[in-house]
Amino acid sequence: RMNHTEVRIKKNILLNSNKYACEILDDQEILGLVDTICEILNKMIKSNDARKLRHPSLMYLGFRACYDATYFVQRFMQYSQASPSCVVLGYHYLVQLLERFDDLELNSFTIQRLLLVVLMLGYKSLEDLEI
């Protein structure tokens, strides 16, 4: 298990450098980072669900997801055979997306849509680098 200082350092390495930052870390470190990312996402979802929607829109219609981010990420990695690096890169894209669009919130209504899009984008980006 990584302590908070290690997570902060690895997060800064990832977010402040280029796409190849994932190659700096070994597999165990990336898996630890994926666990940390899932914990952050779960806390964000729980926090956003606890308060009233700032901008109700069609994005929030439908059913609440009955699972958390950890479950969704694990299933995505299992069935797409994606590497943990895809999750790390997808988290980077999610952060950029949430910063750019103030109306957008990650909550139990949007978890499936947003995570699927950013994880697929991370998967595709890393796949294109290998060619």
Side-chain angles (χ1 to χ4, degrees):
R1 202 80 176 147
M2 295 185 293
N3 64 35
H4 296 295
T5 307
E6 291 172 324
V7 170
R8 192 176 312 116
I9 290 170
K10 290 173 184 170
K11 181 180 173 188
N12 288 337
I13 289 171
L14 176 69
L15 297 179
N16 294 327
S17 63
N18 59 21
K19 289 182 182 179
Y20 304 103
C22 295
E23 295 176 15
I24 296 171
L25 307 174
D26 65 17
D27 291 340
Q28 280 303 105
E29 291 176 317
I30 292 177
L31 285 174
L33 193 55
V34 168
D35 290 341
T36 304
I37 287 170
C38 288
E39 289 174 21
I40 291 169
L41 293 175
N42 287 330
K43 287 179 184 177
M44 186 185 307
I45 291 166
K46 186 176 180 179
S47 170
N48 287 340
D49 281 345
R51 56 193 172 107
K52 189 176 178 182
L53 291 174
R54 290 185 311 206
H55 305 283
S57 70
L58 293 176
M59 180 76 168
Y60 303 106
L61 292 179
F63 298 103
R64 289 183 184 271
C66 56
Y67 46 80
D68 63 356
T70 306
Y71 177 78
F72 189 85
V73 168
Q74 287 174 349
R75 286 184 55 91
F76 178 83
M77 288 175 56
Q78 177 185 359
Y79 291 110
S80 68
Q81 298 175 350
S83 70
S85 301
C86 297
V87 177
V88 175
L89 189 56
Y91 176 71
H92 176 69
Y93 289 138
L94 179 64
V95 169
Q96 288 181 337
L97 187 67
L98 293 174
E99 286 177 353
R100 186 164 296 167
F101 298 100
D102 293 334
D103 302 11
L104 203 55
E105 289 182 2
L106 183 65
N107 57 31
S108 58
F109 289 110
T110 62
I111 178 179
Q112 185 176 5
R113 297 172 192 146
L114 291 178
L115 285 183
L116 184 61
V117 168
V118 298
L119 291 174
M120 286 176 28
L121 185 59
Y123 184 81
K124 180 65 176 155
S125 298
L126 290 178
E127 183 181 274
D128 288 346
L129 290 175
E130 293 177 6
I131 293 177

